[in-house]
Amino acid sequence: MKETPSIVEYGVAIDPRTMIEPPDAAELELEPGHPGLGDAAYVKRRKDLFALCRQHRLNHLGPPLINYTSEETRIWRDVSPKLDELHRKHACQIYLKAKDTLGISATEIPQLRVLSDRVQRETNMHLVPAEGPLPYRTFYSYIAERGFPVTQFIRHGSHPEFTPEPDMIHDCLGHVPPLMHHDYAEVLALIGKAAFTTADPLQVLALKRFSWFSIEFGLMKEAGEIKVFGAGILSSTGEIPFSLFSKDVKRRPFVTDEVIETDYDPSRMQDQLFIIPSFAWLRREIEGLVRRFGIGVM
Ligand SMILES: [Fe+2]
């Protein structure tokens, strides 16, 4: 029998099987050092939302309508205007236009159910409620069916500008608006189908890196200027200026063969970034990669 090669992710060797046989966490786990850990009311809220969103996800019920608390609204009103100011200066036009079309406001937390309906009318993608970060392959099993998993909880109020895990601010202000663009939607759907179909852990890892350096941390050249489109950058007041102006960041044109060989550390600011010319170009790249990998999903 052919041996599965060992693979390195985030600088350490991992069991390749986790790439294709994801674990399923049925209960909320906040990582050590999480700012909400000592706050019983926060933990209770997170557990309630975890149970509700997991139930909606597993039963294909769509995003539940959430009664956000005044504390959650306070955090949204604290963070989203700061992000919006940075977006107006540094986000790509496609993102800005979509954010306006979706009517995402800096004062009221949007209901993902409403955003999902609007996105679906535009690109036939929809939003899937997620109780927390899903394992990569589970995540992409939804995307393969044109559903994008999004969280509905909000970070802890003691550190409104920081979250150790993707939360609703990351998902809603980072991931949702670009889903309104047709080429972007097709890029995602194809990554999802390919990652869910292949049995080769190395191909899953390559697709994950392609996605990380575009969907999560991508830059785009627009009218001669470098703009942001990656959700991980767009949802962080620190990462936006860092990605564009820090001397510690290496910014290179997006070359697919380099990108899929590049490891990264998700726990720190990203110091290697890649620049794409357009979503149409990115779509051709992912189509070429999937064809080259021989994954029969096109
Ligand atoms: Fe993300």
Side-chain angles (χ1 to χ4, degrees), residues 170-183:
H170 168 78
D171 285 332
C172 190
L173 293 179
H175 282 296
V176 173
L179 294 175
M180 294 282 280
H181 191 269
H182 285 269
D183 286 321

Side-chain angles (χ1 to χ4, degrees), residues 200-275:
D200 181 345
L202 283 172
Q203 290 187 345
V204 178
L205 181 67
L207 292 160
K208 190 175 174 189
R209 288 174 175 164
F210 187 100
S211 167
W212 178 263
F213 288 111
S214 56
I215 305 297
E216 286 294 339
F217 279 88
L219 298 175
M220 180 190 286
K221 193 106 171 231
E222 189 181 77
E225 270 190 274
I226 301 179
K227 297 285 183 179
V228 176
F229 76 91
I233 307 178
L234 287 169
S235 54
S236 162
T237 51
E239 204 97 41
I240 294 173
F242 185 79
S243 71
L244 293 171
F245 308 118
S246 171
K247 287 206 269 310
D248 298 328
V249 177
K250 198 167 162 199
R251 299 169 197 86
R252 292 179 274 167
F254 193 104
V255 176
T256 295
D257 281 345
E258 281 176 38
V259 167
I260 64 174
E261 292 295 328
T262 303
D263 194 15
Y264 57 90
D265 178 353
S267 68
R268 39 180 297 198
M269 304 278 273
Q270 297 301 303
D271 57 7
Q272 292 206 75
L273 298 173
F274 296 93
I275 306 161

Side-chain angles (χ1 to χ4, degrees), residues 120-132:
Q120 188 147 31
R121 288 207 302 278
E122 197 74 25
T123 58
N124 198 26
M125 296 288 290
H126 61 280
L127 305 180
V128 173
E131 62 270 29

Side-chain angles (χ1 to χ4, degrees), residues 24-101:
D24 178 38
E27 275 183 42
L28 174 72
E29 262 184 59
L30 297 181
E31 62 180 69
H34 191 289
L37 266 181
D39 180 341
Y42 181 80
V43 174
K44 160 95 171 60
R45 174 67 167 165
R46 287 289 305 270
K47 281 191 174 160
D48 290 348
L49 287 178
F50 185 99
L52 178 67
C53 291
R54 184 173 164 83
Q55 188 223 342
H56 273 244
R57 173 171 75 82
L58 295 176
N59 294 300
H60 308 282
L61 300 175
L65 289 172
I66 307 283
N67 268 329
Y68 285 103
T69 65
S70 55
E71 169 65 357
E72 286 163 338
T73 301
R74 179 190 74 74
I75 298 165
W76 178 268
R77 288 177 181 169
D78 182 276
V79 180
S80 56
K82 291 176 192 155
L83 283 172
D84 193 61
E85 204 184 319
L86 289 163
H87 292 162
R88 299 292 150 191
K89 287 188 210 145
H90 303 303
C92 68
Q93 281 303 316
I94 289 168
Y95 172 88
L96 289 174
K97 193 170 149 243
K99 192 178 180 185
D100 291 341
T101 306

